[in-house]
Amino acid sequence: MRFDDLAPAAADAVRGASGYLTDLLTPTLRIGVTGLSRAGKTVFITALVRALVAGGRLPFFSAQSQGRIDGAWLEPQPDDAVPRFDYEAHLAALGREPPQWPESTRSVSQLRVTIAYKPTRLLWRALGPSRLHVDIVDYPGEWLVDLALLERDFATWSDEAMAQAASPRRARAAAPFLAFLDRIAQAGTARDEQTAIAGARIFTEYLAAARAADNALATMTPGRFLMPGDLAGSPLLTFFPLPAKLREQGVAAGFPALLARRYESYKTHVVRPFFRDHFSKLDRQIVLVDALGALNAGAEAMTELQAALDAVLTAFRPGRGSWLDLLTGRRIDRLLFAATKADHLHHESHDRLEGVLRVLVERAMSRADDAGALVRVMAIAALRATREGSVRQKGGGELPVIIGVPLPGERIGDETFDGRREAAVFPGDLPEDARGLIEAGREHPRADEVRFVRFRPPRIVETAGERVVAPHIRLDRALEFLIGDRLA
Ligand code: GDP
């Protein structure tokens, strides 16, 4: 064999190896995107990825506005065991006529975007363009509450869950579950798998009913009972809390032990792997909060949201010896709290929305701050569905309004919308004193100042060669905070 024959293959090998090396040398930034159900995670990730990949005007995302980004593209997922975030399907929903909001997050998923950029430093620049892998990890905030289980055994968790079920606010939702426990106490027949399965189902229905009654904000454990992800129907989810009486007297030999074993398996096979494999690997985190939705539902919902966020955000608590500390090799160094759907308000109220969020996450902010993370609060709209206008009032003067197409079936006063007609909505003013609003809510269960309807999203169509960012509010600032420094 002559050398000439070898050369192309060898050249390929060298090229391949250098590609491999470039890839190994390319730094990775892992960004977690979380929030409670319907907070806006799917929309945020879709908009963010599109803004990176399609390019366009993003004045506050410095690498982009300085023209230093040479390109950004999706790459195959690095972790074969994690489902891919279905970016294309979500984008396709937004491209339909009429456009639809994409389907929400139900489980963990991930996407890798690689950015080629010119560094600002001349020395680095001389070496050619640099690359950064941005891995975006989407997961339900509901799963974070399970962190609390790691420190509780079955008896402690059961006692807490029973105390919650006994609270007057949950009375109606909990009634079938409590009746079920009474039945097994009287019959003394609870001994088998079937009872565990039936009990878990009724307990899950109770959690769902409690969440619905609490304006979809309550976060009770176990997180997977309401957001099972790929575990729906798994034996790992077949347990429920047993009151002390039933645990101690034993409804039937072995049954409390069966439930306790299932509970421990849930911790071992569900909770710990999630924190170890996903949460602990994040470098940065954005927590999305639908503060406006809660404001709209009334001040009581705000108090609920605050409690729910507190439960969720203890996961960001530092502290030596805590479970998280044991599981976490590295630390989140930037944490962004974002109030989503700011396009439901006139821009004059955006700062106030930020103020509301700041009050809601105060405790978690100071915890993260203590841990040395850079923390920021922002009001954003990943995808802006409205524009601003003003309406002349009868008595003179202008009223600031937002204009958009309310989704079919949305109502304001007596009017029901058909999903086609545009409407100008006066969204109301957010209170200047956010803390007062939440405090007052404890005594006056409704705050009717804000009006909120769901609007149709803007249609996103890809036009070859055109670099247009979909309308948004402060998405570029969020990008700058989350990625900007890594593209310097
Ligand atoms: P997830 O459950 O956290 O993934 O929530 P989604 O991203 O699916 O968002 C839930 C719903 O909130 C969407 O279907 C939209 O109706 C609304 N939404 C989310 N982001 C925005 C936004 O930027 N602007 C507006 N107007 N609505 C939004």
Side-chain angles (χ1 to χ4, degrees):
M1 199 184 283
R2 294 178 333 169
F3 178 75
D4 279 1
D5 294 337
L6 265 183
D12 268 359
V14 170
R15 223 174 287 128
S18 83
Y20 179 67
L21 208 63
T22 315
D23 205 51
L24 277 185
L25 293 176
T26 301
T28 303
L29 183 68
R30 290 178 65 85
I31 302 177
V33 179
T34 197
L36 297 173
S37 180
R38 318 281 307 158
K41 300 179 286 296
T42 311
V43 173
F44 175 79
I45 297 174
T46 307
L48 178 130
V49 171
R50 187 176 180 281
L52 283 174
V53 173
R57 234 179 71 79
L58 293 165
F60 288 94
F61 181 36
S62 54
Q64 177 85 334
S65 62
Q66 291 162 3
R68 291 191 290 107
I69 296 199
D70 291 332
W73 58 92
L74 297 176
E75 287 217 15
Q77 260 258 95
D79 303 311
D80 294 340
V82 185
R84 183 173 179 278
F85 179 84
D86 201 352
Y87 171 69
E88 292 77 8
H90 298 321
L91 202 59
L94 291 163
R96 250 177 250 147
E97 182 61 63
Q100 313 287 325
W101 291 104
E103 269 210 34
S104 294
T105 301
R106 301 245 157 98
S107 188
V108 62
S109 66
Q110 191 181 312
L111 196 68
R112 167 168 284 188
V113 183
T114 302
I115 304 174
Y117 66 98
K118 293 186 195 73
T120 44
R121 281 161 294 178
L122 285 177
L123 189 63
W124 284 105
R125 217 173 231 231
L127 296 174
S130 298
R131 284 184 179 190
L132 177 71
H133 292 315
V134 180
D135 287 356
I136 299 167
V137 184
D138 176 25
Y139 65 93
E142 282 82 355
W143 294 2
L144 292 177
V145 295
D146 278 346
L147 188 68
L149 299 186
L150 296 180
E151 288 159 356
R152 288 163 173 73
D153 61 10
F154 180 63
T156 316
W157 173 70
S158 286
D159 289 343
E160 284 177 9
M162 293 314 302
Q164 272 183 349
S167 96
R169 289 180 45 217
R170 310 233 196 273
R172 195 208 269 262
F177 176 61
L178 298 177
F180 168 81
L181 291 176
D182 275 349
R183 275 202 305 281
I184 58 173
Q186 279 161 20
T189 52
R191 73 178 80 86
D192 58 10
E193 182 82 35
Q194 288 313 314
T195 316
I197 292 174
R201 183 177 46 77
I202 297 172
F203 179 61
T204 308
E205 283 165 7
Y206 146 60
L207 294 179
R211 184 173 68 170
D214 281 336
N215 300 304
L217 296 168
T219 46
M220 287 175 290
T221 54
R224 298 290 173 116
F225 278 45
L226 290 177
M227 271 284 166
D230 53 1
L231 288 178
S234 157
L236 286 166
L237 305 190
T238 45
F239 64 92
F240 55 87
L242 265 190
K245 202 166 66 181
L246 290 187
R247 284 198 316 268
E248 282 144 25
Q249 292 163 8
V251 269
F255 190 68
L258 169 72
L259 294 191
R261 205 182 69 224
R262 286 276 158 81
Y263 172 82
E264 290 302 327
S265 295
Y266 178 81
K267 283 160 59 177
T268 309
H269 298 297
V270 179
V271 184
R272 277 195 197 98
F274 168 69
F275 281 96
R276 188 188 58 221
D277 301 340
H278 302 295
F279 190 78
S280 70
K281 291 186 181 153
L282 300 175
D283 301 305
R284 298 199 170 159
Q285 174 72 57
I286 175 165
V287 180
L288 302 173
V289 182
D290 183 7
L292 267 179
L295 266 171
N296 193 55
E300 197 185 352
M302 290 294 283
T303 318
E304 263 296 327
L305 177 60
Q306 192 176 28
L309 282 172
D310 229 41
V312 165
L313 298 175
T314 47
F316 299 103
R317 172 186 55 190
R320 257 161 283 141
S322 73
W323 266 108
L324 199 60
D325 215 46
L326 295 176
L327 292 167
T328 313
R330 52 177 154 182
R331 285 229 189 271
I332 287 169
D333 68 348
R334 286 189 179 208
L335 179 56
L336 175 58
F337 291 106
T340 52
K341 314 178 194 181
D343 55 331
H344 285 95
L345 293 174
H346 205 264
H347 71 267
E348 287 156 6
S349 283
H350 291 168
D351 289 345
R352 293 186 178 181
L353 182 59
E354 268 177 28
V356 169
L357 183 60
R358 195 165 282 122
V359 173
L360 285 171
V361 299
E362 219 161 37
R363 244 178 303 177
M365 272 178 74
S366 69
R367 274 192 225 117
D369 204 23
D370 288 348
L374 195 58
V375 187
R376 186 77 49 88
V377 176
M378 262 178 219
I380 65 164
L383 209 49
R384 181 175 191 163
T386 66
R387 59 185 203 278
E388 296 190 342
S390 59
V391 169
R392 191 155 303 139
Q393 285 179 295
K394 274 191 201 122
E398 303 268 319
L399 195 62
V401 292
I402 52 166
I403 302 163
V405 180
L407 287 177
E410 288 291 313
R411 299 177 56 149
I412 300 177
D414 299 334
E415 197 173 359
T416 306
F417 291 93
D418 61 3
R420 284 193 291 271
R421 210 158 17 104
E422 230 182 27
V425 179
F426 172 63
D429 286 323
L430 281 188
E432 212 165 322
D433 172 19
R435 195 179 308 279
L437 177 88
I438 295 170
E439 305 272 308
R442 301 205 168 101
E443 285 123 52
H444 310 289
R446 277 204 71 81
D448 288 317
E449 291 86 355
V450 216
R451 284 273 151 263
F452 186 89
V453 289
R454 292 181 66 212
F455 292 99
R456 214 179 253 308
R459 183 147 185 255
I460 301 185
V461 270
E462 301 295 337
T463 335
E466 230 180 286
R467 290 159 56 87
V468 183
V469 173
H472 66 90
I473 296 170
R474 299 182 185 170
L475 182 66
D476 50 348
R477 292 177 204 249
L479 261 168
E480 179 69 14
F481 181 75
L482 292 170
I483 315 180
D485 62 317
R486 298 294 299 268
L487 299 175

